[in-house]
Amino acid sequence: MHDAALLMNLFKLLAEGKLDMAKFLQMLTRAVVQEAAASRVGVWFYQGDLKDSLLCNSLYDAGDGQWSSGSVLSEDEYQDYFDTIRETKLVVAADARNYHATACFNEGYFDLLNIYSRLDVVIEVDGHPMGVVSCEQTGQAREWSQQDLQFMQQAAATVGLALKKFGG
């Protein structure tokens, strides 16, 4: 079972001024990787008035224990993904390389990073989409459990609350 209290403890540290937003997102991504036993977790924010691209703000990779940021996913390149995430507000792809919404990532992303499974949940503030929390599994495919999905939804809600209360 995933520890949702961990997410609220991170939020509390942010609220108390013990973390800035950047450090909060770093700690959250690492915590989600550890709790969900996932390979990579990232927080991506929509860019522009049309929200037609996602910018990686913080991505933790358990493989090397490092954070990265700055990657951009554009709707022009990943139309099926953007359509699905807008319509359903989540992507649950155990076999991400063959799932209609994520197969568009095969060349130049999944193949380079050895990603086989993906679980994404939209971050919202007052019902408006602000970005995505994305969980990826490398090396082999993974069936995402209901607990994994619920934990990712809690992580996205925690980021949304942080954005609402403290801005980006």
Side-chain angles (χ1 to χ4, degrees):
M1 194 65 169
H2 305 309
D3 185 5
L6 178 63
L7 300 173
M8 289 317 299
N9 288 339
L10 288 173
F11 179 81
K12 183 179 176 186
L13 292 171
L14 176 66
E16 293 171 349
K18 295 178 181 175
L19 298 175
D20 63 13
M21 184 64 80
K23 190 67 174 170
F24 166 75
L25 293 174
Q26 283 187 337
M27 291 184 74
L28 182 132
T29 54
R30 183 174 62 193
V32 174
V33 160
Q34 292 169 343
E35 282 294 307
S39 303
R40 298 161 41 96
V41 172
V43 175
W44 300 72
F45 292 122
Y46 282 114
Q47 301 295 296
D49 293 338
L50 298 177
K51 297 185 178 189
D52 59 354
S53 65
L54 285 163
L55 173 67
C56 181
N57 186 281
S58 181
L59 186 143
Y60 182 72
D61 188 325
D64 62 11
Q66 299 293 313
W67 284 272
S68 62
S69 62
S71 297
V72 176
L73 303 176
S74 74
E75 186 171 9
D76 289 341
E77 293 179 74
Y78 306 110
Q79 182 73 49
D80 291 340
Y81 173 78
F82 276 80
D83 288 347
T84 300
I85 205 77
R86 280 193 186 109
E87 183 179 325
T88 65
K89 299 185 181 187
L90 65 95
V91 167
V92 182
D95 183 5
R97 293 179 180 216
N98 293 305
Y99 184 64
H100 71 74
T102 55
C104 56
F105 292 118
N106 284 342
E107 290 183 35
Y109 189 71
F110 287 169
D111 59 348
L112 294 177
L113 298 169
N114 200 26
I115 295 168
Y116 286 87
S117 300
R118 187 171 174 122
L119 173 60
D120 293 5
V121 177
V122 169
I123 301 163
E124 292 183 313
V125 174
D126 294 330
H128 300 287
M130 302 302 289
V132 175
V133 178
S134 177
C135 187
E136 298 168 331
Q137 191 67 42
T138 61
Q140 61 186 9
R142 171 182 178 166
E143 289 293 330
W144 301 107
S145 69
Q146 188 62 34
Q147 290 84 9
D148 293 330
L149 175 57
Q150 289 170 346
F151 189 63
M152 286 295 290
Q153 289 170 324
Q154 290 166 337
T158 303
V159 173
L161 182 61
L163 290 173
K164 181 176 181 171
K165 297 287 185 187
F166 307 106

